[in-house]
Each structure stands twice: as C-alpha cells, then as structure tokens.
Amino acid sequence: MAEHRQEFEHQLEAIEGKVIELFAMVGEDLPQATRALLTGDSGTLAVLVERDRQIDALYRQVEELANKEILLQQPVAADLRFLLSVLRVVPELERSHDLVVEIAAAATHSLTGDLSARTRGLVEQMGDLAAAMWRQAADAWYQRDRDAAVTLTERDEEMDALHASLIAELASGQMAVPVTMEMTQVARFYERLGAHAVNISRRVVYLAGSAGLPGGI
Amino acid sequence: MEQSEQNVAGQTGKKATASMRGPEPLVRHPAEPAGTGNLIFDVRDMSVWYGGFQAVTDVTLPIYENEITAFIGSSGSGKSTVLRAFNRMNDLVPGARVAGEMYYRGANLYGADVSPIAVRRRIGMVFQKPNPFPKSIYDNVAYGPRINGERNRHRLDEIVERSLRGAALWDEVKNRLKTSGLALSGGQAQRLCIARTIAVEPDVVLMDEPASALDPISTGAIEDLMHELKSRFTIVIVTHNMQQATRVSDRTAFFYVLTDSASDTRTGVLVEYASTKQIFEDPQDSRTQAYVTGRMG
Amino acid sequence: MTVAAQPQAHPQKVSLREPPSWRRTKNQLMTVLMVLAFVVTLVPLGFVLVTVIAKGASIISWSFLTSSIPPPVLPANVGGMGPAIVGTLEITALATVIAVPLGILGAIYINEYGGKGFLAQVVRFMSDVMTGVPSIIMGLFIFTLWTLRFQYSGLGGALALACLMLPVVIRSSEEMLKLVPDSLREGSYALGATKARVTVTVVLPAAVGGIVSGALLAVARATGETAPLLFTIGIVTSVNANVFSGSNTSLPSQIFLNATQPYDGAQARGWGAALTLVVIAFIFMIAARLVTARFARYQR
C-alpha cells in the first residue's frame, strides 16, 4: 500500500541522524578524555572544547526540528513517542559532553604524576565502564532496545561501587589536598556519566513502546 | 459459542472463510472505566451482509455505559455498518442480514420478537449531514415525544426547552421556536438534530460522523456537547477525524479493510480496541500504527 | 504601517475579452431564436384569451350566471348558463373527491411501499399508459359500464373525469414524494417511527405543497373536458342539484352545443360560457400557487 507523509518521514530520519551523531560524538570523546587524564595530555582539552561547540549547535538544531515537527504534523503513536524522547534525550547528551570536557580539563592541572596507583587503576576502570555504558546506551537508542535499561541499571550499580571505592581511596589522604579535591570531582563526573546513560536507556523503554510484548500492556 | 443467524430481509449469502478474518483482533480492557463500567452492548462474532457482499466479519467488542467510544478506520472498513447495526437501521436496506450476536443490556437486539421501533426509541442516532425536518424548531424537537404519545402542551414545552438546553441551542433559538428548522446554520441544525434525538430520552446516542460537515467552531461546540452528554447517555461515534477521536473519546476501536486476493473479496474487520490513549500513543498492531500516523489512508 | 514595494508596471496587459469568433455569433443567433420561439408560443395563448374576453365579456352579468339555459333561438339577454356552472362545479368536485385521494394513496404505495416490486411497476406503467388515453375513450368506457345501466347522471361524468385525473395525480404525487430526501425518512425512523408514521408525519408534509398543486392542476384540466361528458351526463337546461341521479350539464357541453347553433343569442351565450370556464380554471391556478406558497413556508 502507498505510504503517505513522505516529507514527514524524511524529517524524522534527519532528526534521528543528528541524534545518532550526538551519541557518536559523546561516545568517541569520553575515552579520549579518560586517556588524556591518565596521561596528563593537556592538548586534548582544546579539541574537545571545539567539539563541545559543535555539539551545542547540533543540540539546538535537533530541538528546533523536533519542536517544529510536533507543531506542524500532529504526531501520534510511534512518531510522537520518538519526538518526545528526542527532546528528553538530547539535553542528557549535551550535559554528558560537558562532563567529558570537564574530565579533559582536569588533565591540564598536572596531576597525573601525583596519582597513587590505586587511584589510577580505579579511574581507568571507571573510564572504561563509562565508555562501555555509553556504547550500550547508543546501541539501545539505535535499536530501540527496551531491555537495555535493566542491564544498564546493573552496570550503574557497578559504577556506584567503583565510585565508593575511589572516594574511600581518596579519603585515605595519601595524596596532596589539591589532587584529592580534583579527583573527587572527577569521580563525580564519571558517576554522573553513568547516571545519564541509565536515564537514556529508560527513555528508550517509552520510545520502543509495547507492541510485540506477550499480553500487551 | 453458538452462532445464530437472524434473517432480516429473507436472503442468503456466503459466510466468509476463516482466512478472510485475519489474525485475532487485539481487544484490551483498561482497568478503570471512564463511566460506570456497566456493559451496554455486548457484540460477539457479528457479521453483516448486504446481499452477497459481506461488509463486516466477526466483530467482537463491548461498549460501556457513560463512555464515548469512537470507531475509526478507512472507508469501507465497516464502521458505519457496525454503528447502524446497534439501532437496527440496517433493516431499512433491502437484502441486509446480520449474523452473530448483539446484546443490548443483556437482551438480544436481533431476537425474534424484538421490535426495531422499540430498539430505536432507546438507541438514537445523529447523522453526518444535519437533517432537520421541514417543520418549526419546536415541532422538530417535539416530534419524537409526540409519536410516543405525548400530547400535553405543557409537558411538551418542558421537554422542548430541556432538550434544546441539553443541546446548547436554547439561548440561540428560544425566541423563534416557531421558525423553520431549515433556516438554521449547519452547526445549529446539527445541534437541533441532537436536541431532537435526546428529547425522547434514549439510553444510547449513536453519531455517524456528526461534525464532518461542519466548520471548526461548530465542531468544537458539538465536541463540548458530547462531553456534557456523556454523563446522561452512552455515546458511540464514527469519525474520520483522528484528532476528534483523541479529543472526545474514552475508547477507540480501529476497523480495517481486509482483502483476500485469492477470492478478490473485501470485508471489514475489527483490528484493535483499547483506551484512546493506548491506541494513539502505543498501538499494538502495525496496521493501527500505520493508520493513526497517517502512513496508510 | 509599512508601505509595500511599488507595484511594477505590467509587462504585458492580460486581455480578458473573448475574441470575436463564430461561437459568439452562434450564441447571439440562438438567443434570438429562443426569444422568437417564446413569442410564437405566446401568440396563440394571447389570441385565445383576447378573443374569449372580447366576445364573452359583454354577456356576463349576475343574471347570466344564475339563470336557466333558454332555447338557443332566444336572444342573448335572455337566460344564462347557471345550470352549466353548477353542473361543472358539482361534477368536478365529485371527480376530485374520487380521484385525488386514490391518486395520492397510489403514489404513496408506489414510492414508499412498493419499491421495485411487481405490483408497483404495474401501477406505474398503467398510470403512464392512462395519461395518454384519449378522453373520449374514457367517456365511452364509463358510458358502457355505468351510464347504460344507471342512465345519465352527474356521477357518471364524475367517474369519467376521475379516470382522466387519476393517472395525472398519481404521477405528479409520485414525483413529489421522490423529491423528499431519504435523510428525512432516516431521521424519522431513527426516532422510532413506524413506516406509516414516517410517511404521514414527515414525507407527506414535506411533499404536500407539490402534491396539492399537482392535484389542482389535474382539477383545472378536468374542468375543461368535454368529450367524456358527452355520453355520460346528458343535457338539461335547469339546475340539477342532485349530482347522483338525473341528467346534468356542464360548461364545456354547453359551449359545444351553442357554438354549433346558427343563432346569435346562442353564440353569445357560448362565448359567455367560455369566458366563465376560463375564469374558473384561472381561479384554480391561483389557488394552486397560494397553496404551494403557504406550504413552502417551512422549506427554506
């Protein structure tokens, strides 16, 4: 049967494309920021700040497009769920990239040499876990996977555990006060990144709807 | 379940094969009803034929008291046919035949000793194009009560005023009740038809695309009226306008034209029936999704 | 308020005039022909009216309208057409009473109940056939069936006229009933009316203007029929108030009789009768218009 509303369909695809771009940018930049932090590379920050500007522009574009389609097209069902989910998810993406930039900024404060081995190890683990959680969140969005929320919630608990360990390590007072204060903030950044990933996976549950589930609602 | 065939106009027709019916319709009943929760219509495996053409096949759905239920679907999907089956208006079409069961408050609508006249006094109908009689406004509204035997002038005055108020038309016409009903504008004429319908105090009001011939302001007035009337009557409406369904109805039933390429026949079937929020936010069937999002006409 | 940019001069003026062509000439030619045809149609009508009025007006008087019919040889100022007027009125009235209710009921049957059934088709067909039967045949029919048995009477004439009126009433009433939109019937059914009630309370009132004017036209036509009355009512020269028995007379019969007489008086009385007949028919036409207008009050 003939499909109508081709123009609307194109607009929706364009929005999806931009959202996926945003996911990709956050997903690539997060490991870079972690590496910069652990190797003390202060050059990465400039790159990521530039990327952040691009992300802000992209974020505003997506919002505008989504607002317009909601206004002009009277969307319902999957279209409406998609547009509403986009509007809720892109702020999380934008905020998450801000956190990534903060992590890279910490790298320029010349702390690397002063980190204890355990701290370094925990930061690396948190960085890897955050990156993994973000890859999973992006996949969940792309595939409309409503089950990812469960997995990501579990991993978030892992992240919380790592966070607690890192705080405990920092509290033991082995490192200088400025370093400890900085790393406390960094610990919080990673924990927040994990939380944003979980939030996104919860939005995907709404986005995916319940069609195909045995027994419906 | 027993299937009884009620022969309305004395003709025979083919029953659709199982393949025509398609997959089981998705009928979900949300826990909290919008009205009293009482079952008004209990429709089971109902099919309607016009001569040899099977217009709808095996429709099963419940209609609940004091709710507004909307029937949506593309042309030819049988929504108006099912609506007209509720008040036996299909009887007026020569060659129309109904199979399956339709219960109204527990009574079989198509039982052997059921009078269609009695059915229509309890189940009223408002039509797509307003059809006021070429009589005065007063006589239009008083028509129903008069044919039910009401002669007392005072009681008729009361009924006319109450019905016109109920249809949100009293203030506009109270000083010209003796003028012709045909002189009213489209929106007013439709409200007059609604007043005429509720004047006999029916139990159910059926509406076949009541606002499709009206401008947006009149449509809004009719929709507000439906919300007010909901507390006194049970309303079932057929509409092509999906935004109207979302604005007005508590439950929505989606009908679809099923084509059987093997025998080159078409028939209407019920595909999905749930709360309006459910149908328009998270439809389960892909055909419902395609229709409500406008991808399929 | 901002001023819009200056409108540019039109580069090329658009012409909306139709170019002179054969089509325009043809249109004008046809218009002229239509007007001519109209005038030609009016001429005989005008001629008749003028002649009847001119020749009959002088004899009309109250005594003319009420006196008995004198022998033809008597001059114009003696006697009148009283019995003929009474005869016409009472015979036509009786014919109407017979034909109109039957005709309306027949039309209701065909349109509301019969549908495509065999009987409805037969009735429809026979009505069409009857409209074409020459009026003298109707007279002959009633003569054989009735007058031979029961002698001349106004009733026989009324029966013959009724046979002429019936198909006209049936067909015109049926057309009026067909014009009533089905949506009105549906609206009535939906309120719980039986078929009979729908017909009587909604369909008939909606069609009544057209039905009545159709009936009045049939009456006007019947008023002027002569041939069927020739065999069935006989001739009298004084008023016969009993329309059911005894010979009677009518204006058309008297016109026929007097026109063939060589006497001036008879001729003058003939013209007077003709003028009276025209006036009666005219009154019926006006009544038809008034009735239609009154019933159309609710149609708009």
Side-chain angles (χ1 to χ4, degrees):
Chain A
M1 81 195 79
E3 279 246 338
H4 303 294
R5 306 187 85 179
Q6 306 274 17
E7 183 55 35
F8 181 40
E9 195 64 50
H10 291 152
Q11 295 295 338
L12 292 177
E13 282 166 15
I15 294 175
E16 171 76 349
K18 291 194 200 295
V19 170
I20 290 180
E21 220 183 302
L22 283 168
F23 267 111
M25 287 166 86
V26 173
E28 286 163 15
D29 295 353
L30 173 49
Q32 275 187 45
T34 308
R35 200 174 343 105
L37 178 63
L38 293 174
T39 59
D41 172 11
S42 29
T44 317
L45 177 62
V47 173
L48 292 185
V49 165
E50 181 51 42
R51 292 269 280 191
D52 199 63
R53 248 182 249 129
Q54 289 173 10
I55 285 202
D56 281 347
L58 200 52
Y59 162 59
R60 256 179 282 282
Q61 274 178 31
V62 172
E63 254 199 356
E64 228 176 88
L65 279 175
N67 286 345
K68 186 178 84 152
E69 296 308 306
I70 289 178
L71 170 67
L72 297 178
Q73 299 281 1
Q74 293 98 43
V76 289
D79 300 334
L80 178 68
R81 295 200 312 270
F82 172 69
L83 289 166
L84 290 179
S85 301
V86 163
L87 286 179
R88 287 174 187 139
V89 155
V90 288
E92 310 253 7
L93 289 167
E94 192 267 336
R95 184 79 195 100
S96 300
H97 198 266
D98 287 346
L99 292 168
V100 166
V101 169
E102 299 274 8
I103 292 173
T108 63
H109 298 163
S110 310
L111 312 161
T112 323
D114 307 331
L115 294 177
S116 70
R118 185 157 160 71
T119 308
R120 184 181 293 274
L122 284 168
V123 166
E124 204 174 326
Q125 278 183 55
M126 285 179 89
D128 289 344
L129 182 57
M133 285 175 80
W134 266 94
R135 271 196 304 276
Q136 195 171 353
D139 283 343
W141 174 273
Y142 186 65
Q143 289 161 4
R144 310 289 194 256
D145 178 11
R146 68 174 77 86
D147 297 324
V150 175
T151 329
L152 275 171
T153 311
E154 285 168 13
R155 298 186 101 174
D156 195 46
E157 282 170 19
E158 229 182 280
M159 179 67 89
D160 287 343
L162 284 173
H163 183 231
S165 305
L166 184 50
I167 296 298
E169 169 65 19
L170 292 169
S172 66
Q174 286 183 13
M175 296 175 292
V177 167
V179 177
T180 308
M181 280 167 58
E182 189 83 50
M183 290 316 289
T184 312
Q185 279 199 315
V186 167
R188 184 152 172 71
F189 295 155
Y190 281 112
E191 186 268 326
R192 286 280 83 219
L193 279 166
H196 282 303
V198 172
N199 287 346
I200 288 175
S201 71
R202 290 202 183 118
R203 299 292 185 201
V204 171
V205 174
Y206 177 68
L207 171 64
S210 59
L213 284 179
I217 290 299
Chain B
M1 179 185 321
E2 279 286 303
Q3 292 220 349
S4 50
E5 282 199 357
Q6 312 296 335
N7 210 326
V8 169
Q11 296 191 15
T12 54
K14 279 191 349 254
K15 192 165 182 351
T17 58
S19 65
M20 279 269 278
R21 191 166 160 274
E24 282 289 323
L26 295 156
V27 178
R28 288 163 293 159
H29 314 297
E32 338 77 48
T36 61
N38 294 336
L39 189 59
I40 294 284
F41 288 110
D42 189 9
V43 181
R44 309 245 179 125
D45 290 322
M46 185 199 72
S47 301
V48 178
W49 279 265
Y50 293 122
F53 168 60
Q54 188 165 7
V56 287
T57 304
D58 291 340
V59 173
T60 299
L61 51 58
I63 307 279
Y64 296 98
E65 193 175 26
N66 294 138
E67 285 186 359
I68 301 180
T69 306
F71 289 177
I72 62 171
S74 36
S75 303
S77 56
K79 352 180 254 299
S80 286
T81 305
V82 174
L83 191 79
R84 278 160 180 259
F86 284 134
N87 69 343
R88 297 196 58 165
M89 286 297 275
N90 285 327
D91 292 15
L92 301 176
V93 177
R97 188 167 66 93
V98 170
E101 285 152 2
M102 289 187 86
Y103 290 99
Y104 164 63
R105 289 191 184 276
N108 187 351
L109 270 178
Y110 287 85
D113 56 350
V114 168
S115 146
I117 310 294
V119 168
R120 293 180 201 134
R121 291 214 181 124
R122 304 211 62 187
I123 303 172
M125 183 174 255
V126 175
F127 299 88
Q128 179 174 359
K129 194 162 172 296
N131 57 354
F133 300 136
K135 298 176 190 286
S136 66
I137 292 174
Y138 185 96
D139 288 333
N140 261 282
V141 182
Y143 181 82
R146 277 197 182 120
I147 65 176
N148 283 343
E150 182 61 71
R151 297 265 168 262
N152 182 299
R153 182 66 195 221
H154 289 299
R155 273 203 293 276
L156 281 172
D157 285 350
E158 243 174 59
I159 292 174
V160 167
E161 178 172 344
R162 189 177 63 223
S163 310
L164 286 170
R165 279 191 195 279
L169 189 59
W170 174 253
D171 287 327
E172 287 169 65
V173 302
K174 63 185 174 205
N175 295 323
R176 47 179 175 128
L177 291 178
K178 293 301 182 184
T179 62
S180 169
L182 296 183
L184 297 173
S185 73
Q188 289 174 323
Q190 191 64 302
R191 276 179 281 155
L192 176 63
C193 294
I194 293 176
R196 185 175 74 189
T197 306
I198 65 179
V200 299
E201 307 253 357
D203 189 19
V204 178
V205 177
L206 307 173
M207 299 194 181
D208 196 347
E209 303 196 43
S212 69
L214 305 178
D215 62 276
I217 305 290
S218 304
T219 302
I222 302 280
E223 289 177 7
D224 285 346
L225 193 53
M226 283 192 234
H227 281 294
E228 282 170 38
L229 294 176
K230 190 166 86 164
S231 56
R232 290 163 59 193
F233 309 101
T234 301
I235 299 181
V236 184
I237 106 169
V238 165
T239 182
H240 267 132
N241 182 341
M242 280 180 287
Q243 277 81 46
Q244 181 168 85
T246 58
R247 284 192 295 263
V248 147
S249 67
D250 301 304
R251 276 179 229 254
T252 300
F254 170 61
F255 290 85
Y256 176 75
V257 183
L258 205 57
T259 45
D260 184 5
S261 44
S263 54
D264 198 26
T265 45
R266 303 173 8 240
T267 190
V269 293
L270 172 67
V271 165
E272 198 170 343
Y273 176 52
S275 70
T276 299
K277 183 170 183 296
Q278 189 69 44
I279 293 279
F280 284 94
E281 191 178 43
D282 189 15
Q284 301 293 286
D285 193 289
S286 59
R287 293 167 294 182
T288 318
Q289 161 85 8
Y291 182 76
V292 302
T293 56
R295 299 301 198 281
M296 177 254 295
Chain C
M1 188 171 111
T2 55
V3 176
Q6 290 292 332
Q8 297 169 354
H10 293 288
Q12 184 186 350
K13 226 176 146 166
V14 173
S15 167
L16 294 172
R17 278 212 199 100
E18 180 166 5
S21 67
W22 167 235
R23 204 169 91 185
R24 211 155 154 229
T25 322
K26 201 158 71 167
N27 190 42
Q28 287 169 331
L29 185 63
M30 284 299 151
T31 312
V32 168
L33 280 177
M34 273 197 313
V35 172
L36 270 179
F38 176 64
V39 169
V40 165
T41 320
L42 279 186
V43 162
L45 177 64
F47 186 65
V48 165
L49 275 179
V50 164
T51 314
V52 168
I53 292 175
K55 296 218 158 148
S58 52
I59 201 176
I60 300 292
S61 67
W62 183 250
S63 82
F64 175 77
L65 294 174
T66 50
S67 311
S68 306
I69 304 173
V73 65
L74 292 179
N77 56 0
V78 177
M81 283 288 157
I85 297 176
V86 170
T88 296
L89 290 176
E90 48 180 26
I91 294 171
T92 313
L94 186 57
T96 307
V97 163
I98 298 172
V100 168
L102 271 181
I104 295 177
L105 285 174
I108 291 176
Y109 172 75
I110 297 176
N111 202 52
E112 305 292 320
Y113 289 81
K116 296 196 168 61
F118 178 68
L119 185 56
Q121 285 180 348
V122 165
V123 172
R124 220 181 262 123
F125 179 68
M126 295 310 275
S127 307
D128 282 338
V129 168
M130 274 173 76
T131 50
V133 171
S135 54
I136 195 162
I137 307 258
M138 292 298 188
L140 204 51
F141 166 66
I142 296 295
F143 175 72
T144 329
L145 235 58
W146 182 274
T147 316
L148 284 181
R149 248 163 269 199
F150 299 103
Q151 274 67 60
Y152 288 133
S153 64
L155 178 56
L159 285 174
L161 288 183
C163 287
L164 281 179
M165 288 170 67
L166 188 63
V168 173
V169 174
I170 290 181
R171 286 313 250 138
S172 79
S173 302
E174 193 206 346
E175 290 303 314
M176 289 297 120
L177 289 173
K178 265 202 269 199
L179 283 179
V180 175
D182 267 341
S183 59
L184 289 183
R185 294 184 181 84
E186 274 200 320
S188 181
Y189 277 119
L191 289 165
T194 55
K195 189 164 198 164
R197 259 222 232 260
V198 171
T199 308
V200 168
T201 57
V202 170
V203 179
L204 272 184
V208 73
I211 290 178
V212 168
S213 68
L216 283 172
L217 287 176
V219 168
R221 183 185 155 196
T223 321
E225 288 293 340
T226 317
L229 301 178
L230 288 176
F231 311 101
T232 50
I233 61 172
I235 310 174
V236 292
T237 53
S238 57
V239 173
N240 180 359
N242 184 350
V243 73
F244 290 100
S245 79
S247 300
N248 215 320
T249 188
S250 69
L251 283 169
S253 316
Q254 289 300 325
I255 297 172
F256 172 62
L257 288 169
N258 280 289
T260 50
Q261 300 287 339
Y263 306 104
D264 285 337
Q267 292 279 319
R269 278 188 288 275
W271 282 113
L275 181 56
T276 314
L277 191 56
V278 165
V279 168
I280 291 180
F282 197 59
I283 291 174
F284 276 126
M285 297 292 181
I286 298 200
R289 287 293 166 112
L290 287 174
V291 164
T292 318
R294 190 221 172 266
F295 280 107
R297 182 159 50 114
Y298 286 129
Q299 304 290 358
R300 276 172 298 103

